[in-house]
C-alpha cells in the first residue's frame, strides 16, 4: 500500500482524483444509501434527537465550537442513537491531521479528527480556528482515507461534519460520490435524516 502524508500531497479534490485514480460518479444510482428507503425512527429516537438538537443549538448559539465539543455534543450522541457503538461496530480513533486553507484575505487553520467504525465507515470531525471551515475542506483527505481502507472489494463511507453541516461520501471501484448537505444548525429534521442515513449505511458495512 502506498504511504503518503495526506495533508501535504492531497490538498484538493483534483489532486485526490489524480493521485488516487478516482473519478466522481454523478449517476443517481451510484449512491442511493443517503436517500432511498431510509429506516424509520421510533418515538424514542425522535425524542433523543430532539434533545440532542436542542442541546447543540443552545451551546452553538454562544459561538463556534471546538472539535472536541462537537464530538461531545453532537457526534457521539448521534452515533449512539444510530446504534453505531454497539456490536458488530468498534471504534478506532485515528491521529488528527492539520489542514490549512488560504484565500486572498486570511489563512484558516483547522484540524480533522477521524473515528473509524468497522474499517468501512469513517467519521470525520472538522475543527476550525478563527472562522468556521466548510465541510468540503476535508473532502480531499477523506477520499484518501477511504481509499486506504483494507478491503477494496466493498464500498467505504464517510460522514464529514463541522457540527453545523453533515455530508456523506461513498467510494467504490475507484469512483466516489457525495450526498447533499444536511444542515442540522438550520433545521432539526436535518439531524433526524442524517441519523437515518447512518443506520442505512450501518446495515451495508
Amino acid at each position: 500500500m502506498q504511504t503518503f502524508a495526506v495533508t501535504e500531497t492531497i490538498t484538493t479534490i483534483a489532486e485526490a482524483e489524480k493521485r488516487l485514480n478516482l473519478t466522481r460518479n454523478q449517476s443517481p444510482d451510484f449512491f442511493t444509501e443517503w436517500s432511498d428507503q431510509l429506516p424509520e425512527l421510533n418515538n424514542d429516537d425522535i425524542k433523543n434527537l430532539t434533545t440532542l438538537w436542542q442541546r447543540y443549538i443552545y451551546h452553538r448559539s454562544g459561538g463556534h465550537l471546538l472539535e472536541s465539543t462537537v464530538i461531545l455534543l453532537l457526534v457521539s450522541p448521534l452515533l449512539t442513537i444510530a446504534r453505531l457503538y454497539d456490536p458488530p461496530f468498534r471504534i478506532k480513533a485515528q491521529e488528527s491531521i492539520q489542514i490549512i486553507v488560504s484565500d486572498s484575505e486570511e489563512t484558516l487553520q483547522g484540524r480533522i479528527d477521524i473515528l473509524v467504525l468497522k474499517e468501512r465507515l469513517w467519521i470525520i470531525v472538522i475543527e476550525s480556528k478563527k472562522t468556521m471551515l466548510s465541510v468540503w475542506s476535508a473532502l480531499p483527505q477523506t477520499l484518501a482515507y477511504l481509499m486506504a481502507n483494507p478491503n477494496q472489494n466493498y464500498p467505504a463511507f464517510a460522514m464529514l461534519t463541522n457540527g453545523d453541516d453533515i455530508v456523506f461520501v461513498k467510494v467504490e471501484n475507484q469512483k466516489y460520490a457525495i450526498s447533499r448537505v444536511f444542515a442540522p444548525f438550520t433545521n432539526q429534521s436535518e439531524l433526524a435524516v442524517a441519523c437515518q442515513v447512518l443506520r442505512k449505511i450501518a446495515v451495508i458495512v
Side-chain angles (χ1 to χ4, degrees):
M1 181 180 297
Q2 184 180 9
T3 301
F4 49 82
V6 293
T7 52
E8 296 177 2
T9 60
I10 307 293
T11 58
T12 67
I13 296 174
E15 288 172 343
E17 291 177 343
K18 179 179 179 181
R19 288 180 177 270
L20 303 172
N21 193 28
L22 276 170
T23 57
R24 183 171 176 178
N25 189 325
Q26 300 194 62
S27 167
D29 298 325
F30 178 74
F31 190 10
T32 60
E33 291 85 356
W34 71 267
S35 58
D36 288 356
Q37 298 181 329
L38 297 179
E40 294 288 333
L41 298 175
N42 60 36
N43 290 335
D44 286 340
D45 295 330
I46 295 171
K47 180 180 178 180
N48 291 332
L49 285 165
T50 298
T51 300
L52 168 57
W53 184 81
Q54 291 172 340
R55 185 181 296 134
Y56 177 77
I57 293 302
Y58 168 74
H59 289 280
R60 178 65 176 82
S61 65
H64 291 313
L65 301 176
L66 297 178
E67 163 269 337
S68 57
T69 309
V70 172
I71 290 178
L72 182 67
L73 289 176
L74 184 77
V75 175
S76 185
L78 181 59
L79 294 179
T80 299
I81 297 170
R83 305 189 189 109
L84 287 170
Y85 283 148
D86 301 323
F89 295 97
R90 292 186 183 276
I91 298 295
K92 179 182 177 183
Q94 298 290 98
E95 184 177 348
S96 298
I97 61 175
Q98 294 287 327
I99 54 174
I100 298 176
V101 179
S102 297
D103 58 27
S104 58
E105 298 180 356
E106 64 179 339
T107 297
L108 309 179
Q109 295 188 33
R111 73 179 196 176
I112 304 173
D113 275 289
I114 307 107
L115 301 175
V116 185
L117 296 94
K118 205 180 172 182
E119 299 294 343
R120 288 173 54 207
L121 174 57
W122 303 64
I123 309 299
I124 316 295
V125 184
I126 306 162
E127 170 189 322
S128 65
K129 295 177 173 63
K130 294 183 64 179
T131 304
M132 184 64 72
L133 288 178
S134 163
V135 291
W136 304 117
S137 64
L139 182 57
Q141 292 90 349
T142 298
L143 293 172
Y145 280 113
L146 290 176
M147 286 298 294
N149 89 81
N151 195 337
Q152 293 290 325
N153 295 322
Y154 299 95
F157 300 88
M159 183 187 86
L160 288 70
T161 185
N162 56 10
D164 292 353
D165 297 320
I166 296 173
V167 173
F168 293 93
V169 183
K170 177 181 180 179
V171 170
E172 183 178 17
N173 296 327
Q174 305 297 129
K175 299 184 183 300
Y176 75 95
I178 54 180
S179 72
R180 74 167 177 88
V181 177
F182 297 89
F185 182 67
T186 63
N187 195 307
Q188 179 181 336
S189 64
E190 295 284 275
L191 186 63
V193 180
C195 183
Q196 291 176 287
V197 175
L198 280 172
R199 283 191 179 173
K200 178 72 175 290
I201 292 174
V203 173
I204 298 168
V205 301

